[in-house]
Amino acid sequence: MSSLDTNAFKRVELQDKELIQNFVFKEQRRSCELNFCNMFNWSPTYNYQWQIHEDRLIVILDQGDEILFPAGEWFSPDELAELSDAIRKTGHRGRIFDVPEEYFEKHDDKLQKHFGIIHSQASWDYVYSTEKLSALSGKKLRKKRNHISQFERNYTNWKACEITIDNVEDCERFIAEIHPETDPDDEDYLAISTALKFLDQTGLEGLALYIDDKVVAMALFSRQTEDTYTVHFEKTNKDFIGSSQMINRETANFLSGRCQYLNREQDLGIDGLRHAKRSYDPEFMIKRVQLDRHIQ
């Protein structure tokens, strides 16, 4: 690998969308990390930066102190070590994340020469069948159907609407209402606020669940691959029982016929979130590892 110019990194901006997405779509990886919307929406917190090096997309999280596994033809383990060392010289840790399971299995022995291997289920993506999330059939999903039935009985005047520039302010008010005490520097609040502000420019899509004229739940998602969408955010007002199950089902209904799978991202090791994601009976998990460079 030729020497990496660490001064060539630049912040992910809207004008970079087409170039980055070309790499992402060509890669056809279902990982939610390799997604322009995620990079852009979380940049206020993590300061995503990128460059093209030897026909690969190199992305670093300046504040997260990590390197996203490069998009393009795979680097060898030796080359990944060189990449990590170059980034470490700028004062960063040089950890590489979102390493595909297939890459690890192919290069396990050689990787261990350079890196400590970190396995963490908290970083695995949950991927579901769009059809199954729409139909919610079978015993495993009976409780979901019951919550939806309760919601429909209690709130006969509900509707699900696509989020556009015409109603995005409703969603911004909803986010402010369910985060009344939110620190304006809160990572999640910053990311979803950015997502809504630039909704019509990033390729992000969304769905809002209304009762009368009030939003009680919303979801934001974008195309990941030819057969997969990633659901980046799902927010609900828990005062309305069944709203979580409804926005989940309606998102699947909305995307039915447009994709086979929904990537609903990770559980982050949070017990309640892990239970909720498992309860929807995922089709499969996207397993990945992290590489922590041995100190030389």
Side-chain angles (χ1 to χ4, degrees), residues 133 136 148 151 158-161 163 174 206-210 215-221 231 233-237 242-254 262 264 280:
L133 286 188
L136 291 175
I148 286 173
F151 182 93
W158 72 271
K159 62 182 178 181
C161 300
I163 301 173
F174 166 68
L207 200 68
L209 182 66
Y210 282 82
V215 176
V216 298
M218 58 170 284
L220 295 173
F221 37 84
V231 180
F233 301 99
E234 186 177 276
K235 298 294 181 180
T236 62
N237 184 334
S243 58
S244 175
Q245 292 76 19
M246 282 294 292
I247 191 62
N248 191 307
R249 186 194 71 177
E250 290 304 302
T251 297
N253 285 343
F254 182 76
L262 292 177
R264 295 179 55 79
Y280 272 99

Side-chain angles (χ1 to χ4, degrees), residues 126-137:
Y126 290 75
V127 182
Y128 304 83
S129 160
T130 307
E131 181 181 353
K132 289 181 180 178
L133 286 188
S134 176
L136 291 175
S137 57

Side-chain angles (χ1 to χ4, degrees), residues 20-29 223-225:
I20 291 176
Q21 282 191 336
N22 284 341
F23 268 91
V24 170
F25 291 159
K26 184 177 180 180
E27 196 79 359
Q28 287 297 301
R29 278 175 50 206
R223 181 169 289 283
Q224 184 70 43
T225 67

Side-chain angles (χ1 to χ4, degrees), residues 59-98:
V59 178
I60 62 173
L61 283 67
D62 189 47
Q63 297 301 316
D65 211 20
E66 294 181 311
I67 308 165
L68 180 64
F69 185 80
E73 183 180 350
W74 284 352
F75 282 127
S76 70
D78 289 345
E79 290 172 322
L80 281 184
E82 290 179 35
L83 173 64
S84 176
D85 288 344
I87 300 299
R88 287 175 65 212
K89 289 178 181 177
T90 67
H92 291 80
R93 180 172 53 186
R95 174 181 288 181
I96 302 173
F97 76 109
D98 195 38

